[in-house]
Amino acid sequence: MVETSARLLRLLSLLQATRDWTGRELSERLGVTTRTVRNDVERLRSLGYPVHATPGVAGGYRLGAGAKLPPLLLDDEEAVAVALSLSGQDSETARRALGKLEQVLPSRLRHRVSVLQEVALGTAAELDPEVAVQIVTACRARERLRFDYVKFDGEADRREVEPYRLVHTRGRWYLVAWDVGRQDWRTFRADRVRPRVPTGPRFAPRELPDVQAHLEKGLATAAWRFRATVTVHAPAELVAAKVPAALVEATGKAECRLTAGADTPEALAVYLGMLGCSFTVDGPPELVRHLGMTADRFRAAIDTAEHG
């Protein structure tokens, strides 16, 4: 519904230009099919907007003149979500549509949209707008956020954090926060966050790490049960070319730190073995044990070959 409403606003903005638009032109501007354009035109007509259509090859759509146009009906959550979606789109059409929407928003919603635009980085329609507002309000107020959280394995958890940014990347929203219980920076899938009220006490802001780098590090291992940080004795650019999905940080000209993950220690061992470089592993213990057993088997295989 939010995505459709945002698109209808953009379509209205285009139709308000004093010209005819072909279905193909509108579909290209909106990034949808011509069939979706036809359906959206019918939605606008059902809301009372006089959209005229001219058939034929040279035909098109035009917004009719005359009576004052009726409002596009949105509830509070839809209006906030549409405004957030439009605010992250880098196009003149989206900016015009957002400006028109903000003109008719009541003051309480304009404030919520302002807060979202200040703290949220990016745009998407996959997050409950009320959750987004609660998160970014806590970010702006510098108040601790308590929430129930569903981890990647489906297990329920409860966290208390100092929230800093709500960021959209790879098609999802993520909360970047300082985890009070773990005393470290953490990344949380925002669609799995269920804020609890009231919020916690105010906190003194910490120095925020590089948000993009922190996200890349967190997402490199977030979905995996087993994680490992490995010192690889090879240049970072060489390792990064072999494992583009992992996080690689240079620690020297011929050495780097690799953060990787897998569902099992066996899969991690295979992953590391494919690097073709020497490396040092400090953990997790399951991986250390598995590598030790694998090394013993390989040594035994060599000894058998030599004496066979």
Side-chain angles (χ1 to χ4, degrees), residues 213-279:
H214 175 75
L215 275 173
E216 290 298 323
K217 181 178 180 179
L219 297 181
T221 60
W224 306 118
R225 182 181 177 190
F226 293 95
R227 309 174 189 180
T229 299
V230 181
T231 298
V232 183
H233 306 293
E237 58 271 18
L238 176 64
V239 176
K242 294 184 177 182
V243 285
L247 177 66
V248 180
E249 302 169 283
T251 55
K253 289 185 177 181
E255 189 175 272
C256 61
R257 182 182 298 107
L258 168 68
T259 302
D263 287 329
T264 64
E266 292 80 5
L268 260 179
V270 172
Y271 188 70
L272 294 172
M274 294 174 64
L275 288 175
C277 308
S278 61
F279 57 87

Side-chain angles (χ1 to χ4, degrees), residues 5 68 95 103 118 130 144 196 257 269 277 282:
S5 299
K68 184 178 179 181
R95 284 190 287 272
Q103 287 176 7
E118 180 178 327
E130 185 57 36
R144 286 187 180 182
R196 301 174 66 86
R257 182 182 298 107
C277 308
D282 296 325

